[in-house]
mmCIF file of all heavy atoms in Angstrom:
data_model
loop_
_atom_site.group_PDB
_atom_site.id
_atom_site.type_symbol
_atom_site.label_atom_id
_atom_site.label_comp_id
_atom_site.label_asym_id
_atom_site.label_seq_id
_atom_site.Cartn_x
_atom_site.Cartn_y
_atom_site.Cartn_z
ATOM 1 N N TYR O 233 30.246 4.545 -18.669
ATOM 2 C CA TYR O 233 29.743 5.847 -18.986
ATOM 3 C C TYR O 233 30.565 6.796 -19.555
ATOM 4 O O TYR O 233 30.130 7.459 -20.634
ATOM 5 C CB TYR O 233 29.060 6.392 -17.632
ATOM 6 C CG TYR O 233 28.485 7.750 -17.881
ATOM 7 C CD1 TYR O 233 27.215 7.959 -18.407
ATOM 8 C CD2 TYR O 233 29.234 8.939 -17.496
ATOM 9 C CE1 TYR O 233 26.684 9.280 -18.566
ATOM 10 C CE2 TYR O 233 28.734 10.188 -17.636
ATOM 11 C CZ TYR O 233 27.499 10.376 -18.250
ATOM 12 O OH TYR O 233 26.999 11.642 -18.372
ATOM 13 N N SER O 356 13.583 12.485 -20.285
ATOM 14 C CA SER O 356 14.912 13.107 -20.691
ATOM 15 C C SER O 356 15.236 13.117 -22.137
ATOM 16 O O SER O 356 15.964 13.921 -22.628
ATOM 17 C CB SER O 356 16.046 12.354 -19.858
ATOM 18 O OG SER O 356 16.146 10.988 -20.404
ATOM 19 N N ASN O 358 17.173 11.125 -23.396
ATOM 20 C CA ASN O 358 18.665 11.112 -23.216
ATOM 21 C C ASN O 358 19.236 9.703 -22.999
ATOM 22 O O ASN O 358 18.692 9.104 -21.946
ATOM 23 C CB ASN O 358 19.157 12.164 -22.214
ATOM 24 C CG ASN O 358 20.580 12.324 -22.164
ATOM 25 O OD1 ASN O 358 21.348 11.437 -21.718
ATOM 26 N ND2 ASN O 358 21.079 13.506 -22.416
ATOM 27 N N LYS O 360 22.220 8.717 -22.077
ATOM 28 C CA LYS O 360 23.130 8.774 -20.851
ATOM 29 C C LYS O 360 22.148 8.653 -19.687
ATOM 30 O O LYS O 360 22.597 8.015 -18.665
ATOM 31 C CB LYS O 360 23.935 10.077 -20.855
ATOM 32 C CG LYS O 360 24.929 10.083 -21.966
ATOM 33 C CD LYS O 360 25.841 11.464 -21.849
ATOM 34 C CE LYS O 360 26.852 11.409 -22.882
ATOM 35 N NZ LYS O 360 27.641 12.752 -22.747
ATOM 36 N N ARG O 518 12.779 22.405 -15.703
ATOM 37 C CA ARG O 518 14.141 21.906 -15.308
ATOM 38 C C ARG O 518 14.436 22.367 -13.884
ATOM 39 O O ARG O 518 15.037 21.485 -13.132
ATOM 40 C CB ARG O 518 15.128 22.558 -16.256
ATOM 41 C CG ARG O 518 15.047 22.016 -17.714
ATOM 42 C CD ARG O 518 16.050 22.677 -18.552
ATOM 43 N NE ARG O 518 16.016 22.215 -19.991
ATOM 44 C CZ ARG O 518 16.948 22.483 -21.002
ATOM 45 N NH1 ARG O 518 17.951 23.271 -20.700
ATOM 46 N NH2 ARG O 518 16.717 22.145 -22.097
ATOM 47 N N GLN O 519 14.116 23.446 -13.482
ATOM 48 C CA GLN O 519 14.346 23.925 -12.157
ATOM 49 C C GLN O 519 13.486 23.098 -11.216
ATOM 50 O O GLN O 519 13.975 22.845 -10.054
ATOM 51 C CB GLN O 519 14.029 25.503 -12.024
ATOM 52 C CG GLN O 519 14.994 26.316 -12.642
ATOM 53 C CD GLN O 519 14.530 27.686 -12.664
ATOM 54 O OE1 GLN O 519 13.455 28.098 -12.809
ATOM 55 N NE2 GLN O 519 15.584 28.621 -12.375
ATOM 56 N N PHE O 522 15.338 19.811 -10.657
ATOM 57 C CA PHE O 522 16.607 20.088 -9.954
ATOM 58 C C PHE O 522 16.375 20.490 -8.518
ATOM 59 O O PHE O 522 17.005 19.926 -7.531
ATOM 60 C CB PHE O 522 17.427 21.166 -10.649
ATOM 61 C CG PHE O 522 18.730 21.433 -9.932
ATOM 62 C CD1 PHE O 522 19.744 20.500 -10.000
ATOM 63 C CD2 PHE O 522 19.077 22.666 -9.366
ATOM 64 C CE1 PHE O 522 20.926 20.654 -9.346
ATOM 65 C CE2 PHE O 522 20.240 22.888 -8.706
ATOM 66 C CZ PHE O 522 21.207 21.975 -8.740
ATOM 67 N N GLY O 551 18.741 12.357 -10.093
ATOM 68 C CA GLY O 551 20.055 12.784 -10.602
ATOM 69 C C GLY O 551 20.294 12.359 -11.988
ATOM 70 O O GLY O 551 20.871 13.176 -12.853
ATOM 71 N N SER O 552 19.747 11.304 -12.496
ATOM 72 C CA SER O 552 19.888 10.905 -13.864
ATOM 73 C C SER O 552 19.133 11.798 -14.739
ATOM 74 O O SER O 552 19.607 12.135 -15.894
ATOM 75 C CB SER O 552 19.321 9.440 -14.007
ATOM 76 O OG SER O 552 20.030 8.550 -13.344
ATOM 77 N N LEU O 553 17.966 12.313 -14.330
ATOM 78 C CA LEU O 553 17.255 13.303 -15.071
ATOM 79 C C LEU O 553 17.995 14.525 -15.129
ATOM 80 O O LEU O 553 18.067 15.215 -16.272
ATOM 81 C CB LEU O 553 15.867 13.600 -14.484
ATOM 82 C CG LEU O 553 14.842 12.454 -14.708
ATOM 83 C CD1 LEU O 553 13.553 12.941 -13.935
ATOM 84 C CD2 LEU O 553 14.533 12.180 -16.013
ATOM 85 N N CYS O 554 18.700 14.995 -14.163
ATOM 86 C CA CYS O 554 19.450 16.238 -14.089
ATOM 87 C C CYS O 554 20.695 16.287 -14.950
ATOM 88 O O CYS O 554 21.111 17.351 -15.383
ATOM 89 C CB CYS O 554 19.839 16.604 -12.662
ATOM 90 S SG CYS O 554 18.478 17.126 -11.562
ATOM 91 N N ILE O 555 21.314 15.106 -15.265
ATOM 92 C CA ILE O 555 22.425 15.126 -16.114
ATOM 93 C C ILE O 555 22.122 15.588 -17.533
ATOM 94 O O ILE O 555 22.914 15.899 -18.351
ATOM 95 C CB ILE O 555 23.154 13.760 -16.122
ATOM 96 C CG1 ILE O 555 22.315 12.756 -16.855
ATOM 97 C CG2 ILE O 555 23.559 13.403 -14.786
ATOM 98 C CD1 ILE O 555 22.875 12.349 -18.188
ATOM 99 N N THR O 556 20.786 15.603 -17.917
ATOM 100 C CA THR O 556 20.261 15.917 -19.125
ATOM 101 C C THR O 556 20.609 17.322 -19.540
ATOM 102 O O THR O 556 20.893 17.736 -20.597
ATOM 103 C CB THR O 556 18.920 15.702 -19.317
ATOM 104 O OG1 THR O 556 18.525 14.422 -18.901
ATOM 105 C CG2 THR O 556 18.260 16.044 -20.795
ATOM 106 N N TRP O 557 20.660 18.152 -18.462
ATOM 107 C CA TRP O 557 20.835 19.634 -18.653
ATOM 108 C C TRP O 557 22.226 20.100 -18.266
ATOM 109 O O TRP O 557 22.659 19.902 -17.068
ATOM 110 C CB TRP O 557 19.849 20.385 -17.890
ATOM 111 C CG TRP O 557 18.432 19.754 -18.264
ATOM 112 C CD1 TRP O 557 17.777 19.899 -19.449
ATOM 113 C CD2 TRP O 557 17.426 19.277 -17.382
ATOM 114 N NE1 TRP O 557 16.574 19.299 -19.385
ATOM 115 C CE2 TRP O 557 16.283 18.847 -18.150
ATOM 116 C CE3 TRP O 557 17.449 18.977 -15.990
ATOM 117 C CZ2 TRP O 557 15.142 18.250 -17.595
ATOM 118 C CZ3 TRP O 557 16.288 18.224 -15.391
ATOM 119 C CH2 TRP O 557 15.241 17.994 -16.290
ATOM 120 N N LYS O 558 22.907 20.740 -19.152
ATOM 121 C CA LYS O 558 24.313 21.187 -18.843
ATOM 122 C C LYS O 558 24.523 21.919 -17.669
ATOM 123 O O LYS O 558 25.531 21.599 -16.876
ATOM 124 C CB LYS O 558 24.878 21.971 -20.064
ATOM 125 C CG LYS O 558 26.306 22.273 -20.022
ATOM 126 C CD LYS O 558 26.800 22.948 -21.353
ATOM 127 C CE LYS O 558 28.186 23.337 -21.142
ATOM 128 N NZ LYS O 558 28.663 24.154 -22.577
ATOM 129 N N LYS O 559 23.665 22.709 -17.257
ATOM 130 C CA LYS O 559 23.738 23.555 -16.058
ATOM 131 C C LYS O 559 23.835 22.760 -14.732
ATOM 132 O O LYS O 559 24.406 23.036 -13.726
ATOM 133 C CB LYS O 559 22.534 24.541 -16.041
ATOM 134 C CG LYS O 559 22.583 25.508 -14.773
ATOM 135 C CD LYS O 559 21.338 26.456 -14.906
ATOM 136 C CE LYS O 559 21.427 27.388 -13.696
ATOM 137 N NZ LYS O 559 20.227 28.347 -13.745
ATOM 138 N N TYR O 560 23.170 21.554 -14.776
ATOM 139 C CA TYR O 560 23.015 20.706 -13.650
ATOM 140 C C TYR O 560 23.940 19.523 -13.693
ATOM 141 O O TYR O 560 23.950 18.700 -12.814
ATOM 142 C CB TYR O 560 21.648 20.360 -13.335
ATOM 143 C CG TYR O 560 20.697 21.567 -13.242
ATOM 144 C CD1 TYR O 560 19.506 21.518 -13.989
ATOM 145 C CD2 TYR O 560 21.001 22.702 -12.494
ATOM 146 C CE1 TYR O 560 18.706 22.592 -13.898
ATOM 147 C CE2 TYR O 560 20.130 23.641 -12.492
ATOM 148 C CZ TYR O 560 18.970 23.687 -13.095
ATOM 149 O OH TYR O 560 18.075 24.741 -13.137
ATOM 150 N N HIS O 561 24.562 19.282 -14.757
ATOM 151 C CA HIS O 561 25.272 17.953 -15.029
ATOM 152 C C HIS O 561 26.241 17.634 -14.026
ATOM 153 O O HIS O 561 26.307 16.488 -13.453
ATOM 154 C CB HIS O 561 25.881 18.048 -16.415
ATOM 155 C CG HIS O 561 26.654 16.738 -16.840
ATOM 156 N ND1 HIS O 561 27.913 16.446 -16.397
ATOM 157 C CD2 HIS O 561 26.226 15.617 -17.501
ATOM 158 C CE1 HIS O 561 28.331 15.249 -16.948
ATOM 159 N NE2 HIS O 561 27.237 14.839 -17.629
ATOM 160 N N LYS O 562 27.080 18.561 -13.649
ATOM 161 C CA LYS O 562 28.179 18.270 -12.721
ATOM 162 C C LYS O 562 27.632 17.903 -11.255
ATOM 163 O O LYS O 562 28.164 17.189 -10.540
ATOM 164 C CB LYS O 562 29.178 19.531 -12.545
ATOM 165 C CG LYS O 562 28.568 20.643 -12.061
ATOM 166 C CD LYS O 562 29.644 21.886 -11.976
ATOM 167 C CE LYS O 562 29.135 23.163 -11.415
ATOM 168 N NZ LYS O 562 30.238 24.207 -11.466
ATOM 169 N N TYR O 563 26.542 18.654 -10.983
ATOM 170 C CA TYR O 563 25.877 18.283 -9.652
ATOM 171 C C TYR O 563 25.397 16.898 -9.611
ATOM 172 O O TYR O 563 25.454 16.180 -8.622
ATOM 173 C CB TYR O 563 24.768 19.385 -9.320
ATOM 174 C CG TYR O 563 25.247 20.701 -9.295
ATOM 175 C CD1 TYR O 563 24.943 21.748 -10.261
ATOM 176 C CD2 TYR O 563 25.982 21.262 -8.242
ATOM 177 C CE1 TYR O 563 25.307 22.895 -10.344
ATOM 178 C CE2 TYR O 563 26.458 22.615 -8.230
ATOM 179 C CZ TYR O 563 26.057 23.427 -9.170
ATOM 180 O OH TYR O 563 26.522 24.760 -9.216
ATOM 181 N N ALA O 564 24.803 16.490 -10.685
ATOM 182 C CA ALA O 564 24.127 15.159 -10.796
ATOM 183 C C ALA O 564 25.173 14.114 -10.756
ATOM 184 O O ALA O 564 25.081 13.060 -10.083
ATOM 185 C CB ALA O 564 23.277 15.107 -12.096
ATOM 186 N N MET O 565 26.274 14.280 -11.497
ATOM 187 C CA MET O 565 27.252 13.244 -11.527
ATOM 188 C C MET O 565 28.061 13.115 -10.261
ATOM 189 O O MET O 565 28.366 12.048 -9.802
ATOM 190 C CB MET O 565 28.350 13.538 -12.680
ATOM 191 C CG MET O 565 27.818 13.344 -14.079
ATOM 192 S SD MET O 565 27.035 11.727 -14.395
ATOM 193 C CE MET O 565 28.383 10.591 -14.033
ATOM 194 N N THR O 566 28.306 14.263 -9.530
ATOM 195 C CA THR O 566 28.852 14.164 -8.254
ATOM 196 C C THR O 566 27.906 13.410 -7.223
ATOM 197 O O THR O 566 28.360 12.650 -6.438
ATOM 198 C CB THR O 566 29.064 15.672 -7.782
ATOM 199 O OG1 THR O 566 29.888 16.423 -8.681
ATOM 200 C CG2 THR O 566 29.745 15.630 -6.323
#
Side-chain angles (χ1 to χ4, degrees):
Y233 174 78
S356 68
N358 188 292
K360 292 182 180 180
R518 295 182 180 186
Q519 289 174 318
F522 182 62
S552 298
L553 290 178
C554 287
I555 68 102
T556 307
W557 307 301
K558 186 176 180 180
K559 183 178 180 180
Y560 306 131
H561 183 276
K562 64 180 179 181
Y563 301 108
M565 288 307 301
T566 301

